[in-house]
Amino acid sequence: MRREVVVSLLVLCFIGSDVVQEGEGIWLNVPPSKNKCVSEEIQNNVVVLADYVVIYDDPAHVTPTISVKVTSPYGNDLHHQENATHGQFAFTAHEAGNYLACFSVDGSNPGGGDVSVNLEWRTGIAAKDWESVARKEKIEGVELELRKLEGAVEAIHENLLYLRTREAEMRTVSERTNGRVAWWSIMSLGICIVVSALQLWHLKRFFQKKKLI
Amino acid sequence: MGLWGLRHAVAMAALCLVLLRSRGTEGLRLWIEEGEECFSQGVKYEGDSFHVSFVVIKDNSPWHHSANADGIDLVIKGPSGEQILDFRDRKSLTISFMAPSKGIYHLCFINKSPYHESIYFDVHVGHLKSLKPSEQHLQDAHVTPLMEQIAKLEEALDNIVFEQHWLKAETHRQAIVNDGMSRRAIPKAVIESVALVGASVLQVYLLQRLFNRKLGASVLKV
């Protein structure tokens, strides 16, 4: 009886996982002539995993193909693929900055409309391969779930520390702006006073020369 | 045999939860051209909580300042095309609502300014915090309460990540404004001083010309 429960649970799982795959990720509409770009600011040493699939619902026509280009903040090409209907790419971010993934329609596009692409983009903790961790360290069940939670909490903590440093930077910039505005306004005011004094002196000299005073 | 069977069942349940847990969160930066651009997100169960947030990042070019003063519009449409929510002229937004039905929801951004806008965008669909007990919960009765609690905790953490992403985006926007102000403080003061000096030189010159003319005329008259 228990074996039946286990088997039915497993079957349910695999059916469920099919349902899960459908809804994950975000769908982009790539217009036929333009580039559609997606980017994310990624810190150093963060793993990025992405999956893209062209969604087509017209079985009569050939699937439209897209070309994908992923670039690093310094312009290095990380992944480049033409005429693809699906694919995936993974990389570890060695430079902190804005990573860009651009999609554009190339090749055949019968029907001419926007091409729907399902993009699943995972960074950092979401990209971690928990199955291999479970296999390597031989943990399962509750312990694995708690490990995942620990990873998620660590990621949140890192984000919070990053926000704190950003706030500190903004605070220094604000204080510097405050100092600059104060001193340079005083300088501006000083110049105004000096110039008007010069003006008075010059005009007085002028009128004295013209024998009016 | 009993203990091994139970352990196996718990492991299977854990695997189940791993596969069935939906973590549809994407924290992305998108470029919206002029006009309407739509993105879609799937919702698997009726009653799931749907969270969307976006922040418009102003490009730091002073020439576009007045055009970027208004934000962008967001229209959320349900699976059968009905309009669920509509927000106009927002520069930053974070909203969550209960999805009335399952299917694919469309989020359409409408950019009314002629320049392209860059936004930080995040969407998250949460399942276990849904208010309606769907049939999924009844099936989850096979899973131990411990695993369900852990799954709830995981979803709460996902929500925190979602809020943090929005906070990061807002901080970035503030940082851009701050940096801009800091950089422009000195040139502003310099230009101001130059303008003042120029104005007073012009004043002196005009007065001198006026008196020269008047004096010249009176000399001639006499």
Side-chain angles (χ1 to χ4, degrees):
Chain A
M1 205 282 275
R2 215 163 266 145
R3 192 173 298 174
E4 273 138 42
V5 166
V6 163
V7 167
S8 62
L9 213 55
L10 203 56
V11 167
L12 182 70
C13 274
F14 281 115
I15 294 173
S17 71
D18 275 348
V19 171
V20 161
Q21 297 298 41
E22 247 176 51
E24 299 247 11
I26 184 173
W27 291 23
L28 313 168
N29 293 330
V30 183
S33 53
K34 289 192 287 192
N35 252 357
K36 195 63 173 289
C37 291
V38 152
S39 79
E40 188 173 350
E41 192 128 351
I42 299 178
Q43 307 297 316
N44 217 354
N45 282 337
V46 168
V47 177
V48 178
L49 208 64
D51 229 303
Y52 56 91
V53 173
V54 173
I55 308 287
Y56 64 103
D57 43 2
D58 191 358
H61 286 135
V62 173
T63 318
T65 57
I66 53 168
S67 75
V68 183
K69 198 158 154 170
V70 183
T71 46
S72 79
Y74 295 115
N76 301 330
D77 224 351
L78 290 162
H79 173 85
H80 187 68
Q81 184 122 346
E82 311 256 353
N83 286 335
T85 53
H86 64 275
Q88 63 171 179
F89 53 89
F91 58 90
T92 308
H94 292 295
E95 308 139 354
N98 233 6
Y99 283 77
L100 191 65
C102 284
F103 299 87
S104 58
V105 181
D106 66 353
S108 62
N109 184 17
D114 288 356
V115 177
S116 291
V117 179
N118 184 16
L119 173 70
E120 206 179 298
W121 175 274
R122 301 175 188 277
T123 46
I125 191 72
K128 197 154 174 181
D129 188 5
W130 288 108
E131 271 107 64
S132 69
V133 169
R135 253 181 289 124
K136 196 171 67 163
E137 307 198 14
K138 295 191 182 46
I139 51 176
E140 56 186 13
V142 175
E143 194 175 343
L144 181 62
E145 291 299 313
L146 289 178
R147 271 296 174 87
K148 282 194 209 170
L149 287 183
E150 188 184 356
V153 167
E154 264 171 32
I156 289 175
H157 191 206
E158 264 171 40
N159 268 345
L160 205 52
L161 290 176
Y162 171 73
L163 279 173
R164 225 166 62 167
T165 46
R166 278 303 276 265
E167 191 266 338
E169 264 170 38
M170 272 204 332
R171 217 178 334 119
T172 32
V173 168
S174 268
E175 282 167 11
R176 200 172 56 205
T177 309
N178 190 20
R180 273 188 196 171
V181 164
W183 282 113
W184 290 78
S185 298
I186 290 176
M187 177 210 86
S188 191
L189 185 64
I191 286 183
C192 177
I193 292 174
V194 160
V195 159
S196 59
L198 273 174
Q199 215 179 6
L200 268 174
W201 170 80
H202 183 87
L203 282 172
K204 202 160 132 179
R205 218 180 56 155
F206 172 71
F207 289 138
Q208 279 172 343
K209 231 189 336 177
K210 300 287 178 182
K211 308 252 189 319
L212 288 169
I213 298 179
Chain B
M1 169 63 187
L3 197 60
W4 181 89
L6 184 63
R7 209 178 126 90
H8 209 72
V10 166
M12 283 301 140
L15 193 61
C16 236
L17 223 57
V18 163
L19 296 173
L20 286 174
R21 180 177 52 88
S22 57
R23 193 189 184 268
T25 303
E26 315 259 354
L28 297 171
R29 183 170 181 177
L30 307 165
W31 271 268
I32 314 280
E33 300 286 339
E34 185 186 3
E36 182 167 345
E37 284 204 14
C38 290
F39 301 92
S40 317
Q41 172 70 32
V43 171
K44 281 180 279 298
Y45 306 107
E46 185 183 331
D48 278 357
S49 59
F50 195 98
H51 309 260
V52 184
S53 78
F54 74 87
V55 175
V56 177
I57 301 293
K58 212 188 317 196
D59 271 334
N60 201 16
S61 41
W63 322 120
H64 294 171
H65 179 75
S66 55
N68 274 0
D70 303 325
I72 58 175
D73 303 344
L74 170 64
V75 177
I76 302 180
K77 298 197 200 133
S80 25
E82 80 274 15
Q83 184 168 312
I84 297 180
L85 289 167
D86 183 10
F87 300 97
R88 303 270 152 189
D89 294 326
R90 298 290 293 256
K91 283 193 262 205
S92 133
L93 174 83
T94 168
I95 180 102
S96 28
F97 62 92
M98 192 183 85
S101 58
K102 71 176 185 185
I104 297 179
Y105 284 71
H106 302 282
L107 309 154
C108 292
F109 291 100
I110 304 168
N111 181 14
K112 293 200 207 107
S113 77
Y115 309 104
H116 67 87
E117 304 257 6
S118 159
I119 64 169
Y120 274 119
F121 168 71
D122 198 358
V123 61
H124 174 222
V125 178
H127 170 55
L128 289 167
K129 285 182 93 160
S130 59
L131 305 168
K132 251 172 101 174
S134 60
E135 58 275 10
Q136 188 53 38
H137 278 272
L138 297 172
Q139 280 171 345
D140 279 346
H142 289 293
V143 177
T144 62
L146 178 61
M147 297 304 274
E148 190 171 333
Q149 278 305 118
I150 290 180
K152 277 198 192 149
L153 195 54
E154 208 150 5
E155 187 161 318
L157 288 177
D158 280 348
N159 276 340
I160 292 178
V161 169
F162 175 78
E163 294 290 343
Q164 265 195 337
H165 182 258
W166 182 79
L167 199 57
K168 253 198 323 199
E170 285 280 26
T171 311
H172 188 198
R173 195 162 73 112
Q174 276 308 112
I176 288 177
V177 170
N178 251 7
D179 282 335
M181 217 161 64
S182 169
R183 270 187 300 118
R184 288 183 210 143
I186 293 180
K188 172 246 181 197
V190 165
I191 290 174
E192 206 176 82
S193 316
V194 165
L196 276 168
V197 168
S200 63
V201 163
L202 187 66
Q203 219 176 355
V204 165
Y205 167 71
L206 285 172
L207 279 168
Q208 277 186 323
R209 214 174 68 150
L210 171 73
F211 278 99
N212 276 335
R213 249 199 248 140
K214 291 288 184 197
L215 286 176
S218 64
V219 160
L220 282 172
K221 268 194 206 160
V222 167

